[in-house]
Amino acid sequence: MKEFKVTIGWSKERPFINVVFKGERFRYSNGKSIGLNIKAKDDPELLCNAFRIKLLEGWVPVKRSYDSVSDVKQKDFSILNHMREVLSTMTEEKYSYHHIRDCKWAYRNFQRFLKSQNIQHLTSQEWEASYLLGFVNSNQNWSNRTRRNLTTSFRFLTRGLNLKTKISFKQTRSKLHRRINNLAELLYDIKSFDFELYLVCLITYGCLLRPHQEIRLLTWSEIDLNRGLISLDGLRNKTGRNRVVPIPSFVMEELNVIKSNDALYVFGNTLPRNRDYFSTKWTRYKHRSQLDLTNITLYSFRHTGAINVFEKTGSIYKVKEVMGHSNIQVSMIYLRGIDTTNLSPEDMPQIHC
């Protein structure tokens, strides 16, 4: 395990050097600590590399000693300041888009809550567990799941502050991911509305790829039409593992029709579609369609495909593989929420005459 990590952080559009040494975080705006007259704002890459070299040579960052009360007050960052520092390093440390998005959302809401209580300068020394409880209950429209996600993001943003953040939530009731019963009719209706949206739904169902990332960013180089396979490397997957899925014949037919040697992406040609592109199209389609689309989303096609695989194979391991889950426990949790069962009528109670 590395003893140190050096990255470039940003605060109020100004760069700084972020050094994590044996679990402790140090922040530098210039190279005075290592004997160099370089400012981070002038050449952050150069200064970052200089700190790495010094650490490899044996230099050890030292905590500042404070000679006055004013210095202590300067160092005693508020919780909001600490959260901003963590956010500024997240992009450099290559966290996922969704994790960064959730943490930014948690920060904005926590900032709004503190301002409403007139305690925006709250420090870790002044922290009480009741503040977090008040924060997650500050919006009555938030579901328990939203509150859990909010708390998880908050804990990440305040790591290293040793805050008391234990909260008990009510147990949430499982919701069934219901299959699409009129699948052929629905796909035909979508195709008449928009072929691109139809193809997304078809691949989501037939190949069980995630629509907003894996399919939206799908390139022709990841598709082998001769072998009938889609191959995604670890950087393209939520789990970080390589994933290879077969392409059903009904998907192959449509891909062969639109195949282009000039295009890089299947959707978007030389550039991919934006993150909300398919969500917006789906919303427009729902407003226009005469079909009953209650509780049906783009992910419903993936859910329906998973149920189909489970019913055909009876294997939770094949569901795990085709869904691209990280482990069997994730698949078990997933199947617990779908409307399928291993029981048959013969397994149920009977009346004997």
Side-chain angles (χ1 to χ4, degrees), residues 83 102-110 135 150 153-154 157:
M83 294 171 77
D102 291 347
C103 285
K104 286 182 177 179
W105 185 75
Y107 168 78
R108 288 195 300 270
N109 280 281
F110 185 62
F135 169 44
L150 202 64
S153 298
F154 178 85
L157 289 171

Side-chain angles (χ1 to χ4, degrees), residues 192-211:
S192 65
F193 171 75
D194 187 283
F195 180 82
E196 192 174 46
L197 182 62
Y198 159 74
L199 188 57
V200 170
C201 296
L202 203 67
I203 299 174
T204 304
Y205 170 74
C207 302
L208 292 100
L209 299 186
R210 298 172 177 90

